[in-house]
């Protein structure tokens, strides 16, 4: 059996272990659900960066842009919920929230520099875009008191980066300073919309679930299949914005809707999947380290050994560095502010 099959079966088993049907709908954007889905979404990103000819597992990498969109969506939604439910959330926002991203990220940068590998390969742009959004989010909530104006400002900024970056990002050489993921950053916009219109979204995902799931599945399969097999092959260069932005993100949104409908009445989660969710950020940060190290070895690795080594080394390193980051943050005295 190929290592790719073993890895995918292992991940599937981890995610469905303890799965239960519930008559009462779940809170799909609760911390428990989003944490577990983060653990699922980090792996398509890993798979998409694996070299050919390990193409079995690389097929899952075709969903990486959808996974990154979900990461962005959860991030902006989580920030909005925290701002509304946690007292004095903005008071120490940069000391706590930004540091929670920067400490793990800087640790990964130091380790990559030690091993002499690329700092941006594997999606470090995600962190850079998220940090920019943190500043936008802080300004919106610190300076704009009207909720509608806050929403419009955040939507303008996120759509401006997503669509404007798509047209002008490369001309302005934004990737040179670590800014990319223009279509995928639309997830920030989705998270904002859900947060500000939660009741309407919640109602949609809790009524006539089966009918919506079947219709959504048909639309998602159609859009994803046609994008991968026709749009990407024949039309992507001719109609760049229509195909590589609108059509691509329509496919992403349709898949996200299907995922949320799928888990509307299904409770997911166990100890292992929860732990994977907690270290998902570190998996995202460190997978590129091992993919680069393994590709530079003087001996050519068998495809199965390459997949297993990359997979196991990434998870073990992510778990260790997650603990290390938490230890460092606990010792940073300015984070002890109540």
């Amino acid at each position: 059996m190929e290592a790719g099959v073993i890895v995918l079966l292992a991940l599937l088993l981890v995610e469905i272990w303890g799965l239960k049907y519930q008559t009462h709908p779940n809170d799909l954007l609760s911390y428990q659900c989003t944490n577990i889905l983060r653990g699922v979404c980090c792996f398509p990103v890993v798979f998409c960066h694996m070299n050919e000819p390990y193409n079995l597992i690389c097929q899952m990498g075709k969903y990486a842009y959808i996974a990154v969109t979900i990461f962005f969506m959860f991030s902006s939604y989580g920030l909005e919920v925290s701002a509304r439910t946690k007292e004095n959330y903005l008071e120490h926002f940069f000391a706590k929230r930004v540091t929670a991203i920067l400490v793990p990220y800087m640790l990964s940068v130091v380790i990559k520099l030690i091993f002499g590998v690329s700092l941006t390969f594997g999606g470090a742009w995600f962190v850079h875009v998220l940090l920019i959004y943190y500043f936008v989010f802080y300004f919106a909530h610190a300076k704009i008191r009207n909720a509608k104006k806050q929403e419009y400002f955040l939507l303008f900024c996120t759509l401006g980066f997503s669509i404007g970056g798509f047209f002008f990002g490369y001309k302005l050489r934004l990737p040179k300073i670590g800014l990319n993921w223009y279509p995928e950053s639309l997830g920030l916009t989705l998270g904002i919309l859900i947060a500000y219109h939660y009741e309407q979204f919640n109602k949609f995902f809790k009524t006539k679930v089966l009918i919506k799931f079947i219709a959504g599945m048909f639309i998602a399969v159609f859009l994803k299949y046609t994008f991968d097999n026709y749009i990407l092959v024949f039309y992507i260069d001719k109609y760049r914005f229509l195909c590589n932005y609108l059509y691509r993100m329509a496919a992403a949104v349709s898949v996200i809707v299907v995922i949320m409908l799928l888990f509307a009445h299904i409770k997911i989660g166990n100890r292992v999947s929860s732990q994977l969710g907690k270290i998902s950020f570190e998996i995202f940060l460190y997978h590129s380290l091992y993919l680069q190290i393994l590709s530079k070895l003087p001996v050519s690795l068998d495809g199965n050994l390459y997949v297993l080594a990359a997979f196991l080394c990434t998870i073990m390193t992510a778990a260790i560095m997650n603990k290390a980051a938490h230890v460092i943050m606990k010792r940073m005295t300015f984070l002890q502010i109540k």
Side-chain angles (χ1 to χ4, degrees):
M1 184 182 291
E2 287 190 17
V5 175
I6 296 172
V7 169
L8 293 175
L9 288 176
L11 289 173
L12 180 63
L13 179 62
V14 165
E15 298 304 331
I16 67 172
W17 189 267
L19 185 147
K20 294 179 182 177
Y21 177 80
Q22 293 186 152
T23 53
H24 184 71
N26 292 315
D27 180 2
L28 295 168
L29 291 167
S30 66
Y31 172 77
Q32 181 186 5
C33 284
T34 56
N35 179 57
I36 290 165
L37 287 175
R38 281 191 185 99
V40 175
C41 290
C42 64
F43 288 103
V45 179
V46 176
F47 299 154
C48 85
H49 294 129
M50 286 189 169
N51 298 326
E52 300 288 353
Y54 318 117
N55 51 26
L56 174 62
I57 209 164
C58 287
Q59 293 302 311
M60 294 302 296
K62 291 183 178 180
Y63 294 88
Y65 73 94
I66 299 174
V68 174
T69 305
I70 293 174
F71 268 112
F72 278 128
M73 183 180 78
F74 287 164
S75 297
S76 60
Y77 174 81
L79 287 175
E80 291 300 327
V81 171
S82 296
R84 298 177 191 188
T85 58
K86 295 180 180 179
E87 191 176 352
N88 300 323
Y89 182 67
L90 292 183
E91 191 173 343
H92 305 297
F93 178 75
F94 288 106
K96 290 191 172 184
R97 185 65 256 161
V98 176
T99 308
I101 295 289
L102 275 181
V103 170
Y105 176 59
M106 293 310 297
L107 281 174
S108 73
V109 167
V110 170
I111 291 175
K112 288 176 182 178
L113 286 173
I114 291 171
F115 282 93
V117 299
S118 170
L119 299 179
T120 56
F121 173 78
W125 287 311
F126 169 81
V127 183
H128 304 160
V129 174
L130 201 55
L131 287 171
I132 295 289
Y133 179 70
Y134 281 1
F135 284 92
V136 172
F137 166 84
Y138 181 84
F139 178 86
H141 285 269
K143 301 297 182 182
I144 305 173
R145 300 302 176 188
N146 182 277
K148 269 294 173 191
K149 290 181 180 178
Q150 278 181 3
E151 179 189 2
Y152 293 152
F153 175 77
L154 291 168
L155 291 176
F156 175 80
C157 290
T158 53
L159 278 174
F161 177 80
S162 184
I163 298 175
F166 184 86
F167 282 108
F168 305 111
Y170 287 97
K171 291 180 181 179
L172 296 174
R173 300 180 180 274
L174 293 185
K176 292 288 184 182
I177 58 172
L179 293 178
N180 207 324
W181 296 108
Y182 309 124
E184 292 81 2
S185 63
L186 186 66
L188 294 170
T189 306
L190 296 177
I192 294 163
L193 287 171
I194 294 171
Y196 279 89
H197 304 279
Y198 181 77
E199 291 303 320
Q200 294 93 314
F201 278 92
N202 198 38
K203 185 178 180 181
F204 174 84
F205 288 108
K206 290 186 177 181
T207 57
K208 300 180 180 178
V209 174
L210 183 59
I211 295 172
K212 291 174 181 175
F213 176 76
I214 294 171
M217 179 66 79
F218 175 81
I219 294 169
V221 170
F222 174 80
L223 289 175
K224 190 71 176 72
Y225 179 82
T226 52
F227 178 79
D228 289 341
N229 294 279
Y230 295 98
I231 302 296
L232 201 58
V233 177
F234 300 109
Y235 304 106
I236 200 77
D237 294 324
K238 189 174 182 181
Y239 307 105
R240 191 165 170 263
F241 180 70
L242 178 65
C243 297
N244 204 27
Y245 189 95
L246 292 179
Y247 203 99
R248 186 169 180 243
M249 296 319 296
V253 171
S254 66
V255 172
I256 292 170
V257 169
V258 167
I259 291 171
M260 296 183 76
L261 287 168
L262 175 64
F263 293 112
H265 287 275
I266 297 176
K267 183 180 180 181
I268 55 174
N270 54 65
R271 187 175 295 181
V272 178
S273 61
S274 294
Q275 285 302 120
L276 283 176
K278 289 176 182 177
I279 65 170
S280 59
F281 184 50
E282 283 77 12
I283 291 174
F284 185 83
L285 291 175
Y286 288 99
H287 76 278
S288 63
L289 170 69
Y290 288 104
L291 294 183
Q292 292 179 86
I293 290 174
L294 291 172
S295 66
K296 292 179 180 179
L297 290 177
V299 256
S300 180
L301 289 181
D302 169 74
N304 290 324
L305 188 56
Y306 171 86
V307 169
L308 286 175
F311 180 75
L312 294 174
C313 290
T314 297
I315 291 180
M316 288 189 292
T317 303
I320 293 168
M321 298 310 296
N322 176 268
K323 294 291 184 185
H326 277 86
V327 169
I328 291 171
M329 285 187 283
K330 282 182 180 180
R331 292 180 179 276
M332 297 172 76
T333 54
F334 62 87
L335 295 180
Q336 308 306 316
I337 304 167
K338 300 295 184 185

